[in-house]
């Protein structure tokens, strides 16, 4: 199984997700686009989803693609060939005053498109799994971005 479409061939599966996800239009769109109406759903706190799939309490989960537990637990992010899930990319928003602050926009520019999912997963893993200080992981991330070293991109 490498894509969401591959799941349709496996009818007896349980998907775990945070309590809101299964009532959202995005889930309905994905379910219908891929013919996944036979999947059983199990609502659970996002804190426990990754351990639940790792420990085989559920077969798959609705995950955050930049969560460090994906790599730590050797999970696979399924491709969405029909692009049924909308992008959830982070955006930088500035107030009108901040947008005119000398140098601020130039300082933030390297962030635009500068952090791949894999790099963000590594930073999140450093904090959530390896218990590094967020400031330290953030500094490593910023240093790599400024150096243009996002090999995962």
């Amino acid at each position: 199984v490498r894509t969401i479409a591959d799941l349709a061939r496996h009818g007896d599966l349980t998907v775990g997700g945070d309590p809101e996800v299964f009532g959202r239009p995005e889930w309905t769109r994905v379910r219908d686009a891929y013919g996944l109406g036979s999947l059983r759903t199990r609502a659970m706190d996002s804190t426990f989803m990754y351990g639940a799939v790792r420990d085989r309490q559920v077969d798959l989960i609705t995950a955050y693609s930049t969560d460090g537990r994906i790599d730590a637990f050797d999970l696979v992010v399924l491709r969405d060939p029909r692009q049924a899930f909308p992008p959830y990319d982070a955006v930088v928003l500035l107030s009108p005053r901040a947008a005119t602050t000398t140098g601020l926009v130039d300082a933030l520019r390297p962030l635009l498109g500068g952090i791949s999912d894999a790099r963000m997963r590594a930073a999140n893993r450093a904090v959530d799994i390896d218990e590094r200080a967020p400031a330290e992981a953030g500094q490593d991330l910023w240093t790599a971005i400024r150096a243009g070293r996002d090999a995962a991109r």
Side-chain angles (χ1 to χ4, degrees), residues 136-149:
E136 183 183 344
Q139 184 59 51
D140 290 349
L141 181 61
W142 181 244
T143 299
I145 291 166
R146 289 185 53 154
R149 290 192 321 245

Side-chain angles (χ1 to χ4, degrees), residues 94-105:
L94 298 175
S95 69
R97 186 176 126 226
T100 61
T101 302
T102 304
L104 180 59
V105 172

